[in-house]
């Protein structure tokens, strides 16, 4: 049977009292899905064949007799396909776009990038800023970063600044460089680098300090971006993502005056997200917002904290406050020199005292922590700050659920032992090993390359809790599942096979474990009676197919709160 044969109008049963063949009155439901393989991902990883849903929650899980037991408004024959809980992406950036933006996600060459910039310049006219997001040299035919010369050739009369996928680097053309006031003598920013070519001239690339360009572009208004935010959220449904933790949240939806920005931020806030979800939340994935640490005075004055909200949209941890950079720069802070770069170990962004102030003050206000730490030096520093606050402020028995976001370069055993003692968790992105393979090979010694984005050692040797996400590199959970199970990069080479986990373990980390980080494991993440009916249907059984085929698995159908919100076209 082909994966598209099931696409037919679902059987809609008449409302009212129904009777089974035995004459026994049927109970009512809103949705019954039967005739498939249901991966509940409960404690025992139980397998059933049917699910009944009512009022947005799972009414029953069992055999195909459920289709006879319940009369439903909609009944879907799965025809052998696999039903499982929807994916929770624990770290993603919901992208917005303005008229001046070009979408560079998936662009395969610098030539293609230039053509998109050229078209945008023609659309906007001379002198207008052109910005964009998503270029990735790893998939470019040229296998290199774009430079100012490339952008000058495409749009010599417009300032252009294009952000790399992952947001740790940006490239500008000569017009943007001039407006930004950058010269070969400009000192590197504290947490970044200004790249130069072999002759000592600026090549246009700036690492970890995108604002050196972007602060000069006209400010976006939230009203101009909100529609694209909604569109980005909806696009996740086709990937089977039913819950998401957006790493781009802030509290600045109002001007804050002296001591902070004097303009409202154009980023998402709880207030803005709540307005969206009040209007159309049943058609969107559930949302939890990371909040970037805004400073002591502002966080102390903010009336809410982690957990505020409901099951559609809520406030998550203090996070995306980056302790170091990343490898898309690369400027991740490591304990050993970068390969071929004696004396360079990336850059940390805070002194120990500065990081302690952020963590301690957040702890005193009752916030959960989920800070960005990629290099092993950054991980050590963050764990030390966490441990101090957890032991002296939060309390040893508090159910805090603090975690590290990324955890890319495996730290020393002593650090992981501390994490186990203090129950510090991990939001991991295994897909990085796939998509950033070349960067790791270029910058890290072999041991660190083999143990990037590890799961097995932290989880099995040290008993650390791990949940999965993507950080947009790329978003699709199938890449994360594939890499978690195979440990393969884009080239097909295997890195650290001992760090692989089983497909059952990977699925649990991408479904059941994510809600634990938002204190919602009792209401979603598994297919059990009484939980929210957030489910997906796959065209293949991930437990049965060869691991190399995981990249080809498609989501046929997505359900949020018992409502079908996405169905894949048959064509």
């Amino acid at each position: 049977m082909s994966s598209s044969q099931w696409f037919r109008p679902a059987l809609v049963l008449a409302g009212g009292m129904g009777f089974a063949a035995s004459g026994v009155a049927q109970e009512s439901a809103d949705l019954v899905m039967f005739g498939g393989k249901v991966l509940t991902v409960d404690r025992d990883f139980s397998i059933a064949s049917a699910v009944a849903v009512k009022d947005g929650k799972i009414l029953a899980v069992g055999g195909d007799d459920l289709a006879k037991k319940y009369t439903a408004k909609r009944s879907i024959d799965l025809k052998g396909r696999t039903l499982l809980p929807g994916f929770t992406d624990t770290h993603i950036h919901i992208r917005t776009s303005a008229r001046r933006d070009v979408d560079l996600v998936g662009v395969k060459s610098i030539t293609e990038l230039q053509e998109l910039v050229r078209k945008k310049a023609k659309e906007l006219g001379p002198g207008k800023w052109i910005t964009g997001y998503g270029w990735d040299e790893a998939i470019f035919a040229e296998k290199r970063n774009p430079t100012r010369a490339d952008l000058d050739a495409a749009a010599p009369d417009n300032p252009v600044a294009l952000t790399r996928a992952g947001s740790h680097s940006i490239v500008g053309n000569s017009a943007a460089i001039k407006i930004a006031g950058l010269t070969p003598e400009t000192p590197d920013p504290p947490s970044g680098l200004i790249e130069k070519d072999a002759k000592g001239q600026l090549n246009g690339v700036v690492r970890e300090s995108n604002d050196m360009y972007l602060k000069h572009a006209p400010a976006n208004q939230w009203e101009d971006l909100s529609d694209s935010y909604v569109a980005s959220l909806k696009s996740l449904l086709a990937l089977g993502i039913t819950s998401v933790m957006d790493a781009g949240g802030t509290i600045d939806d109002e001007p804050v005056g002296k001591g902070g920005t004097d303009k409202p931020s154009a980023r998402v806030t709880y207030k803005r997200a709540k307005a969206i979800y009040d209007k159309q939340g049943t058609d969107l994935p559930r949302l939890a917002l990371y909040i970037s640490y805004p400073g002591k005075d502002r966080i102390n004055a903010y009336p809410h904290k982690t957990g505020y909200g409901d099951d559609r949209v809520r406030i998550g941890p203090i996070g995306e406050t980056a302790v170091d950079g990343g490898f898309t720069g690369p400027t991740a802070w490591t304990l050993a020199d970068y390969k071929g770069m004696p004396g360079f170990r990336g850059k940390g962004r805070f002194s120990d005292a500065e990081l302690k102030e952020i963590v301690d003050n957040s702890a005193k206000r009752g916030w959960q922590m989920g800070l960005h730490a990629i290099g092993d030096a950054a991980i050590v520093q963050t764990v030390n700050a966490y441990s101090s606050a957890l032991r002296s402020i939060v309390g040893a028995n508090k159910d805090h659920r603090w975690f590290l976001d990324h955890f890319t370069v495996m730290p020393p055993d002593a650090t992981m032992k501390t994490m186990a003692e203090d129950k510090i968790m991990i939001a991991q992105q295994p897909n990085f090993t796939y998509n950033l393979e070349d960067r790791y090979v270029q910058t890290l010694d072999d041991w660190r390359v083999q143990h990037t984005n590890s799961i097995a050692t932290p989880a099995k040797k040290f008993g650390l809790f791990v949940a999965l996400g993507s950080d947009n590199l790329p978003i699709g959970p199938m890449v994360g599942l594939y890499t978690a199970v195979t440990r393969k990069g884009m080239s097909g080479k295997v890195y650290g096979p001992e760090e692989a986990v089983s497909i059952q373990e990977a699925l649990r980390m991408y479904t059941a474990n994510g809600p634990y980080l938002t204190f919602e494991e009792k209401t979603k993440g598994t297919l059990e009676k009484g939980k929210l009916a957030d489910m997906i249907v796959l065209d293949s059984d991930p437990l049965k197919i060869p691991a190399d085929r995981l990249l080809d698995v498609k989501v046929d159908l997505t359900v949020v709160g018992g409502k079908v919100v996405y169905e894949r076209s048959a064509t």
Side-chain angles (χ1 to χ4, degrees):
M1 180 180 70
S2 72
S3 63
S4 63
Q5 281 182 298
W6 72 277
F7 290 101
R8 59 178 177 80
L11 176 62
V12 180
L13 302 181
M17 181 65 73
F19 292 86
S22 63
V24 178
Q26 293 176 292
E27 299 177 49
S28 65
D30 297 323
L31 173 68
V32 173
M33 305 175 78
F34 66 95
K37 183 174 185 178
V38 178
L39 309 182
T40 66
V41 199
D42 63 5
R43 183 181 296 273
D44 299 320
F45 215 97
S46 305
I47 295 176
S49 62
V51 172
V53 175
K54 187 173 183 178
D55 297 330
K57 295 182 179 181
I58 296 173
L59 184 62
V61 180
D64 287 342
D65 59 321
L66 292 183
K68 299 178 180 179
K69 182 178 180 180
Y70 295 98
T71 178
K73 297 175 183 176
R74 183 172 185 181
S75 184
I76 298 175
D77 185 349
L78 295 170
K79 296 189 174 181
R81 290 167 300 143
T82 302
L83 177 71
L84 68 157
F87 296 119
T88 293
D89 193 313
T90 58
H91 183 105
I92 193 173
H93 296 267
I94 307 300
R95 294 292 166 191
T96 56
S97 60
R99 184 184 174 209
R100 67 167 183 259
D101 290 330
V102 288
D103 182 2
L104 303 173
V105 176
V107 169
K108 297 297 195 296
S109 69
I110 292 174
T111 299
E112 183 182 351
L113 177 150
Q114 289 175 305
E115 183 57 28
L116 291 171
V117 171
R118 192 173 290 113
K119 288 180 179 178
K120 184 60 69 172
K122 184 177 180 180
E123 173 192 340
L124 298 178
K128 301 295 185 181
W129 272 88
I130 298 171
T131 53
Y133 170 84
W135 61 266
D136 182 355
E137 78 289 341
I139 62 174
F140 282 169
E142 297 86 352
K143 296 298 180 184
R144 64 172 177 83
N145 291 344
T147 66
R148 68 186 293 180
D150 298 318
L151 303 187
D152 286 348
D157 300 321
N158 299 76
V160 181
L162 307 177
T163 305
R164 189 198 186 278
S167 299
H168 289 279
S169 291
I170 192 168
V171 60
N173 69 349
S174 294
I177 290 171
K178 182 177 180 180
I179 292 172
L182 304 182
T183 71
E185 289 71 41
T186 302
D188 288 332
S191 59
L193 287 170
I194 301 172
E195 288 193 5
K196 300 179 179 68
D197 61 23
K199 296 181 179 179
Q201 298 302 306
L202 303 184
N203 68 7
V205 175
V206 175
R207 308 182 199 173
E208 303 296 345
S209 293
N210 299 353
D211 202 43
M212 294 188 83
Y213 289 127
L214 297 181
K215 68 183 178 182
H216 299 285
N220 289 318
Q221 301 299 314
W222 175 250
E223 292 74 17
D224 299 326
L225 302 175
S226 59
D227 286 349
S228 63
Y229 188 83
V230 172
S232 293
L233 281 169
K234 286 185 176 181
S235 71
L236 302 179
L237 299 170
L239 301 174
I241 296 172
T242 56
S243 288
V244 61
M245 296 177 69
D246 180 3
T250 178
I251 66 173
D252 291 328
D253 56 350
E254 301 293 343
V256 297
K258 188 175 181 180
T261 178
D262 60 358
K263 297 178 181 178
S265 168
R267 293 162 62 189
V268 68
T269 64
Y270 173 78
K271 179 179 177 181
R272 290 168 176 165
K274 185 68 165 61
I276 288 171
Y277 275 76
D278 283 347
K279 183 177 181 180
Q280 50 191 312
T282 60
D283 295 320
L284 302 173
R286 302 180 194 277
L287 176 70
L289 287 176
Y290 285 78
I291 301 296
S292 295
Y293 186 74
K296 182 177 180 179
D297 292 343
R298 285 153 65 204
I299 201 69
N300 287 354
Y302 191 64
H304 310 308
K305 61 183 179 181
T306 301
Y308 182 80
D310 55 30
D311 63 16
R312 289 287 177 179
V313 58
R314 62 174 47 211
I315 295 175
I318 294 290
E320 197 50 17
T321 299
V323 179
D324 67 340
F327 285 103
T328 57
T331 54
W333 184 23
T334 56
L335 293 172
D337 293 351
Y338 278 34
K339 186 164 62 178
M341 301 177 67
F344 183 73
R345 300 186 176 187
K347 293 188 176 184
R349 296 190 171 181
F350 304 103
S351 67
D352 290 347
E354 289 169 336
L355 185 59
K356 177 177 172 58
E357 189 278 330
I358 291 172
V359 174
D360 285 1
N361 191 59
S362 299
K364 290 173 183 176
R365 296 291 300 171
W367 284 83
Q368 178 192 24
M369 301 302 294
L371 298 181
H372 160 127
I374 285 184
D376 45 2
I379 292 169
V380 170
Q381 185 190 41
T382 306
V383 170
N384 289 342
Y386 276 15
S387 181
S388 174
L390 289 170
R391 297 180 186 191
S392 64
I393 299 172
V394 177
N397 297 320
K398 177 72 172 180
D399 184 17
H400 56 81
R401 306 193 191 186
W402 287 18
F403 62 94
L404 297 183
D405 223 332
H406 306 313
F407 200 81
T408 291
V409 181
M410 187 185 292
D413 285 3
T415 296
M416 289 187 280
K417 289 178 182 177
T418 298
M419 293 176 69
E421 291 168 0
D422 294 329
K423 298 181 181 178
I424 298 170
M425 305 172 189
I426 300 170
Q428 179 63 273
Q429 294 82 37
N431 47 291
F432 283 8
T433 294
Y434 178 82
N435 201 54
L436 296 178
E437 174 186 16
D438 290 345
R439 286 293 177 97
Y440 295 145
V441 171
Q442 292 166 7
T443 57
L444 296 174
D445 62 71
D446 187 63
W447 187 91
R448 285 173 171 78
V449 172
Q450 297 300 316
H451 293 280
T452 57
N453 310 302
S454 298
I455 300 176
T457 293
K460 296 182 179 181
K461 181 177 178 180
F462 293 95
L464 302 182
F465 183 91
V466 179
L468 302 184
S470 70
D471 198 15
N472 303 65
L473 288 171
I475 295 174
M478 293 305 164
V479 181
L481 293 173
Y482 166 82
T483 314
V485 172
T486 67
R487 293 288 300 174
K488 288 184 178 181
M490 291 181 70
S491 70
K493 182 177 179 179
V494 176
Y495 296 91
E498 67 274 21
E499 297 298 343
V501 294
S502 70
I503 184 61
Q504 289 91 339
E505 291 168 321
L507 285 170
R508 186 180 298 282
M509 292 172 182
Y510 231 133
T511 57
N513 285 10
Y516 193 81
L517 295 185
T518 55
F519 298 85
E520 296 177 282
E521 77 283 359
K522 293 182 180 179
T523 60
K524 66 180 183 180
T526 63
L527 301 186
E528 297 178 87
K529 183 178 179 179
K531 288 195 172 184
L532 294 168
D534 298 351
M535 310 176 287
I536 59 175
V537 176
L538 303 181
D539 69 347
S540 304
D541 181 356
L543 302 186
K544 296 295 184 181
I545 62 173
D548 282 347
R549 282 192 53 208
L550 286 169
L551 291 174
D552 300 321
V553 173
K554 299 293 189 297
V555 176
D556 280 347
L557 185 145
T558 301
V559 177
V560 177
K563 180 180 180 180
V564 176
V565 290
Y566 166 79
E567 292 185 77
R568 185 162 67 97
S569 171
T571 58

